[in-house]
Amino acid sequence: MTTPSLFNAFLSVVRRDLILAYRHRAELINPLAFFVMVVTLFPLAVGADVELLRRIAPGVIWVAALLASLLSMDALFRSDFEDGSLELMVMTPHPLSILVLAKVTAHWLLSGMPLLLITPLLAAMFDLQADVIGVLLTTLVLGTPVLSLIGAIAVALTVGLRKGGVLLAILVLPLYVPVLIFASGAVDSATAGLPVSGQLYMMCAMLFLAITLTPWPTAAALRMSLS
Amino acid sequence: MPVPHFYHWFLKHRMTTRPFFEARQLACIRDDRVLFSGLDIQVHGGQVLLIEGPNGSGKTSLLRILTGLRNPDEGELYWCGTAVLELAALFYQDVAYVGHMNGMKDDLSASENLKFTQSLATATLSIDEGLHKVGLDGYQDTPIRYLSAGQRRRLALARLLCTKKRLWILDEPFTSLDKASIMLFESYIEDHVATGGIAIMTSHHDTGLPDHIVQKIELRS
């Protein structure tokens, strides 16, 4: 028998993380509930001024998505680090960067994807037009994986610390800012009826840069945290 | 010291047939304390290396260095004559490690845990055979959080039996195992070594392994 292929290893890591998350459904709800709460409270607090709501909608939804992503980030490597399975993942013939990418993929499916699904509903509360909602969803599709991938580097660095929560936020937030700017910029342009392709291309570029470049520093940081 | 060329050739020739693990001049410093330095290790296929020493003498640190998880402060590792740093991922095709932590997911069942291990390495036994060998028949679908500490340890050791690795690195493998299980595992270690494998382990218990296959090093604190 031969060693399973890299692709199979990738899939088995994703599958394992999805099964584990399914057995901890309650924890899955946390970031989503946070996202929904923050976004729904804004119209209640700001009032029913439709113009104003439309204007702040992209910012509110994106800031909430960003914070929700940050909230769920810490759990990415935590349990694997604590029960020793991370050590074993490092000690496989497969490149750690690819296994890291698998873990981030699973994490995004569990934390980013639910946000995408609930967003059209929330956007309706801000009286966004259908085409603007489309752009908003596109920015979330392109942007939330970037948040997970960049966050993974910082999580890998802080996983060995007992109280790395604040440090994680400080490390990660500056790197999240470009995503936030281009995403809410795109939605703003869409609201004003302007073309959005520039911002979306930029976000595509960020996504591909993140997919190709972040797994290596994350893997290196994990090795450091383990040694 | 320069070594005659023919000797190199001789070594290399032998290494292709028999695994050979070597550490040269290892040193480990922790919190400004030198745990050990100038440590040389040579283990051949068919041998068990037993690392002894009191608590805090650096046994676990040494094992973690040997697995490549921790970088030695000085020194280098060689697997079958090639530096481990050069081998990188190739080295891990041959290494199985059971550390202090079992490295198992509490919420996955026994067979799911083993299946995951096999999905990242070369499988040898089927899951059911592996569980049978460690006496965990019938626990296939039990989430391992419901298993006792000893049963979990046995499952962690079942990983060794289910995957094809030539170098076993075991940190206190017999913690929380009962006498019968310890004897069982010692027989598995003997089998592994008899087929040309290497086992490097620490243990506080006296092992029942036959003397002629055991090589000991003592770390002092």
Side-chain angles (χ1 to χ4, degrees):
Chain A
M1 281 192 258
T2 53
T3 309
S5 72
L6 184 54
F7 184 65
N8 284 338
F10 181 93
L11 285 186
S12 69
V13 172
V14 172
R15 196 172 49 231
R16 182 193 77 143
D17 277 15
L18 293 183
I19 293 174
L20 282 172
Y22 177 73
R23 297 197 179 150
H24 278 280
R25 272 158 299 201
E27 280 172 33
L28 228 73
I29 303 295
N30 282 345
L32 186 64
F34 174 83
F35 179 68
V36 172
M37 276 192 299
V38 172
V39 176
T40 46
L41 286 178
F42 261 89
L44 297 176
V46 176
D49 181 349
V50 175
E51 275 309 306
L52 179 66
L53 284 180
R54 257 187 224 156
R55 226 175 55 235
I56 62 168
V60 169
I61 291 177
W62 252 97
V63 169
L66 190 149
L67 293 176
S69 156
L70 191 59
L71 194 70
S72 63
M73 237 23 244
D74 192 50
L76 179 53
F77 298 119
R78 176 73 55 199
S79 78
D80 282 352
F81 181 79
E82 280 168 358
D83 63 21
S85 24
L86 200 57
E87 288 174 354
L88 302 180
M89 237 181 262
V90 171
M91 296 179 53
T92 61
H94 303 293
L96 181 59
S97 49
I98 300 296
L99 301 183
V100 159
L101 196 60
K103 280 201 70 74
V104 176
T105 307
H107 181 261
W108 180 78
L109 287 174
L110 297 163
S111 68
M113 195 79 140
L115 303 192
L116 282 179
L117 298 178
I118 199 92
T119 298
L121 199 68
L122 297 174
M125 288 197 307
F126 287 85
D127 196 36
L128 292 184
Q129 305 301 314
D131 51 339
V132 180
I133 295 180
V135 174
L136 177 64
L137 284 179
T138 315
T139 60
L140 283 170
V141 169
L142 296 174
T144 46
V146 181
L147 301 183
S148 298
L149 286 161
I150 291 177
I153 303 177
V155 178
L157 278 174
T158 55
V159 73
L161 308 175
R162 208 146 292 157
K163 295 223 165 94
V166 180
L167 184 62
L168 176 68
I170 292 171
L171 282 174
V172 142
L173 278 179
L175 298 171
Y176 278 3
V177 168
V179 182
L180 182 68
I181 291 173
F182 281 102
S184 49
V187 186
D188 268 338
S189 303
T191 320
L194 298 170
V196 293
S197 45
Q199 285 100 326
L200 293 186
Y201 286 144
M202 195 65 199
M203 293 195 69
C204 277
M206 285 193 220
L207 176 59
F208 283 100
L209 272 180
I211 290 176
T212 47
L213 295 183
T214 58
W216 279 278
T218 311
L222 279 181
R223 285 215 166 85
M224 266 168 53
S225 294
L226 282 172
S227 69
Chain B
M1 199 180 83
V3 189
H5 186 255
F6 69 88
Y7 181 64
H8 259 297
W9 178 85
F10 168 70
L11 264 188
K12 265 190 189 148
H13 183 75
R14 232 177 44 170
M15 272 167 225
T16 50
T17 53
R18 242 171 120 201
F20 173 52
F21 190 51
E22 190 184 9
R24 290 184 201 153
Q25 293 294 309
L26 285 188
C28 175
I29 302 167
R30 251 178 95 166
D31 303 325
D32 294 333
R33 254 164 29 89
V34 180
L35 288 178
F36 48 83
S37 64
L39 186 69
D40 288 314
I41 294 174
Q42 288 190 349
V43 209
H44 294 269
Q47 284 187 314
V48 177
L49 177 70
L50 199 61
I51 298 167
E52 294 180 321
N55 296 131
S57 57
K59 297 191 294 290
T60 295
S61 299
L62 175 59
L63 285 186
R64 288 177 68 86
I65 287 174
L66 296 183
T67 58
L69 282 173
R70 188 187 162 103
N71 287 326
D73 293 285
E74 271 173 38
E76 263 185 297
L77 305 176
Y78 297 85
W79 176 241
C80 298
T82 318
V84 165
L85 282 177
E86 275 172 50
L87 286 173
L90 278 179
F91 178 54
Y92 289 129
Q93 282 187 340
D94 276 325
V95 186
Y97 173 61
V98 175
H100 276 296
M101 295 176 288
N102 288 329
M104 296 276 175
K105 284 284 168 207
D106 279 350
D107 292 305
L108 294 182
S109 69
S111 55
E112 281 168 331
N113 268 307
L114 285 184
K115 224 176 268 169
F116 179 68
T117 309
Q118 286 193 335
S119 72
L120 297 176
T122 313
T124 48
L125 296 179
S126 74
I127 306 283
D128 287 340
E129 282 170 328
L131 288 173
H132 174 72
K133 280 191 107 175
V134 298
L136 288 174
D137 295 296
Y139 288 97
Q140 272 85 344
D141 299 325
T142 317
I144 65 163
R145 68 164 67 254
Y146 300 119
L147 299 186
S148 76
Q151 286 174 320
R152 264 183 264 178
R153 197 65 183 162
R154 275 192 266 163
L155 185 63
L157 293 168
R159 276 205 319 253
L160 303 169
L161 307 175
C162 287
T163 54
K164 191 177 168 223
K165 309 269 191 173
R166 290 193 289 175
L167 174 60
W168 289 3
I169 299 185
L170 314 171
D171 196 354
E172 294 290 340
F174 303 141
T175 335
S176 58
L177 290 190
D178 54 33
K179 268 207 182 111
S181 311
I182 292 179
M183 280 180 37
L184 183 66
F185 273 106
E186 282 174 349
S187 76
Y188 290 146
I189 290 174
E190 271 188 68
D191 291 347
H192 170 66
V193 166
T195 55
I198 296 178
I200 300 179
M201 56 188 275
T202 62
S203 181
H204 283 304
H205 308 277
D206 288 327
T207 61
L209 295 167
D211 282 339
H212 66 275
I213 60 167
V214 177
Q215 182 192 345
K216 289 185 182 177
I217 37 173
E218 173 102 28
L219 296 178
R220 267 158 297 167
S221 58

